[in-house]
Amino acid sequence: MTQLSDAITELLGSFDLPGGGTLISRDMIRAMRVESGQVAFVIEAPSPEIARQMEGFRAMLEARIAELPGVETVSVVLSAPTQAPKAPSLKLGGHAKPQQGRMIPPGVKKLIAIGSGKGGVGKSTVSSNLAVALARAGKTVGLLDADIHGPSQPRMFGVSKRPASPDGKTIIPLEAHGVTLMSIGFMLPEDKAVVWRGPMLMGALQQMLMQVEWGELDVLLIDLPPGTGDVQLSLGQKSELDGAIVVSTPQDVALIDAKKALDAFATLNVPVLGMIENMSAFVCPGCGLESHIFGHGGVAAEAARLNLPVLAQLPIDLETRLAGDGGAPVALGDGVMARAYAKLAQELIAKGAV
């Protein structure tokens, strides 16, 4: 059958293809089999679209090969790669890019930062539950996890999928429990540290604010990192925050740092909507006794000194911790804590803050 194989190869090489070359020179023939008068092979086109365009050419080849001496049956099949091209690589970080105007995401009506001077006071827990409570109250809500070194929102919302990017620049945010979400934690394994200096933090913040397709939102909550560092400074100077909420426990050590956060917002001319006292008390589930583990009255006293409202006093609560670790914020339920967050959301809506 060598003579027949040579004749088929010669025939396949005699037809010029659009763009130049032949089936042979462009290495488009696969799985050639010539045996006992039976001829079969595959033409691998560069794409499904080109394969569809080559159908007439394929039929013509079958007919021409069938006319060769010694050929009894012919089967010519068209194929094309079916694997979708890889999505463009999306990288967060790097220095912030020069841009005209303020960092205000299109379609977002209100930007509200939730901060604390100190870590460990439950700021991210408050952020996630407030976002859910506002969504349940009928608002379109986004939540940006700007705590780049210690992102918590992926765990609290039970989301681990990587955001898509159609072009390597635009970021399609994720959604869970009615809230549109973005976090550096979606881009990295949970135990991977982000070891970046300030300029890279600013670049990532700019990307997560301005390259994310947030859509039409009534409010975008920004879960800030603890302290009064680069992220707070950049947001205050380069964006247009409509307000800030400061979270603290009643403990004196926490209040020392909360005062610094309040002063930072004042320095940046960001209006403070009020304070939230978290872990205000512990109610024993067995006997009902209320204990003030972290002190009592400190947040209310500081708020009164600054003529600010205390937006909520939230107890330390096992259900809240279990819900957060389980990826379903406690505000999704109908218990005591869910009602507390619902009340907080309604008060902010009534004030016109969101």
Side-chain angles (χ1 to χ4, degrees):
M1 289 295 163
T2 302
Q3 186 175 1
L4 180 55
S5 297
D6 291 343
I8 293 170
T9 300
E10 182 179 356
L11 178 65
L12 294 176
S14 65
F15 297 100
D16 292 330
L17 298 175
T22 67
L23 292 173
I24 300 300
S25 67
R26 288 169 61 172
D27 191 29
M28 295 172 66
I29 302 301
R30 299 285 182 270
M32 171 75 79
R33 182 172 62 85
V34 180
E35 184 178 341
S36 302
Q38 298 179 337
V39 179
F41 60 87
V42 175
I43 300 173
E44 185 176 79
S47 69
E49 178 62 28
I50 293 176
R52 286 190 289 270
Q53 295 172 3
M54 292 181 69
E55 174 54 32
F57 180 60
R58 180 205 66 79
M60 182 274 291
L61 280 179
E62 271 193 350
R64 292 291 298 272
I65 292 171
E67 296 172 354
L68 294 174
V71 174
E72 296 182 6
T73 63
V74 185
S75 175
V76 180
V77 176
L78 277 167
S79 74
T82 56
Q83 183 176 0
K86 291 184 178 180
S89 175
L90 173 64
K91 295 181 180 180
L92 288 181
H95 290 205
K97 305 293 189 295
Q99 68 175 56
Q100 294 182 343
R102 312 282 273 172
M103 289 196 303
I104 305 174
V108 175
K109 296 176 183 176
K110 298 276 189 175
L111 279 176
I112 295 179
I114 301 178
S116 67
K118 183 177 179 62
V121 300
K123 167 188 53 60
S124 293
T125 297
V126 169
S127 299
S128 61
N129 282 287
L130 177 56
V132 168
L134 287 169
R136 294 187 76 185
K139 295 294 182 179
T140 52
V141 184
L143 176 57
L144 169 58
D145 187 354
D147 191 351
I148 293 171
H149 284 132
S152 302
Q153 299 305 340
R155 170 61 68 93
M156 290 185 172
F157 277 86
V159 179
S160 58
K161 183 180 176 182
R162 185 182 175 90
S165 175
D167 56 7
K169 296 179 181 179
T170 305
I171 305 169
I172 308 301
L174 303 181
E175 186 172 334
H177 310 310
V179 179
T180 301
L181 300 167
M182 184 59 202
S183 170
I184 193 74
F186 296 142
M187 315 297 290
L188 300 168
E190 192 174 47
D191 57 354
K192 181 69 173 176
V194 178
V195 187
W196 288 349
R197 294 186 184 274
M200 293 187 71
L201 295 178
M202 296 311 96
L205 177 64
Q206 184 186 54
Q207 286 177 278
M208 291 194 295
L209 259 181
M210 302 305 297
Q211 290 180 212
V212 170
E213 290 285 350
W214 289 108
E216 298 292 327
L217 295 179
D218 291 320
V219 60
L220 175 59
L221 301 180
I222 303 176
D223 179 14
L224 295 174
T228 56
D230 288 332
V231 171
Q232 287 85 342
L233 181 61
S234 289
L235 275 172
Q237 291 180 333
K238 297 182 179 180
S239 68
E240 197 72 54
L241 291 174
D242 294 284
I245 296 171
V246 174
V247 179
S248 179
T249 65
Q251 188 178 7
D252 288 345
V253 172
L255 278 165
I256 290 171
D257 292 329
K259 292 175 184 179
K260 294 175 183 176
L262 289 163
D263 183 65
F265 286 128
T267 301
L268 295 168
N269 295 316
V270 176
V272 176
L273 303 176
M275 298 184 69
I276 292 176
E277 184 176 86
N278 198 29
M279 309 182 198
S280 63
F282 171 72
V283 179
C284 175
C287 66
L289 178 67
E290 183 175 294
S291 301
H292 297 279
I293 301 173
F294 295 106
H296 181 64
V299 171
E302 181 62 20
R305 185 181 72 84
L306 296 172
N307 196 29
L308 292 173
V310 177
L311 299 173
Q313 292 177 298
L314 304 169
I316 187 169
D317 175 72
L318 177 60
E319 184 185 2
T320 301
R321 195 275 296 173
L322 292 173
D325 285 349
V330 72
L332 289 166
D334 56 5
V336 173
M337 293 305 296
R339 291 195 294 273
Y341 279 108
K343 180 181 178 183
L344 171 59
Q346 291 293 348
E347 288 183 358
L348 289 172
I349 293 170
K351 292 174 182 289
V354 296

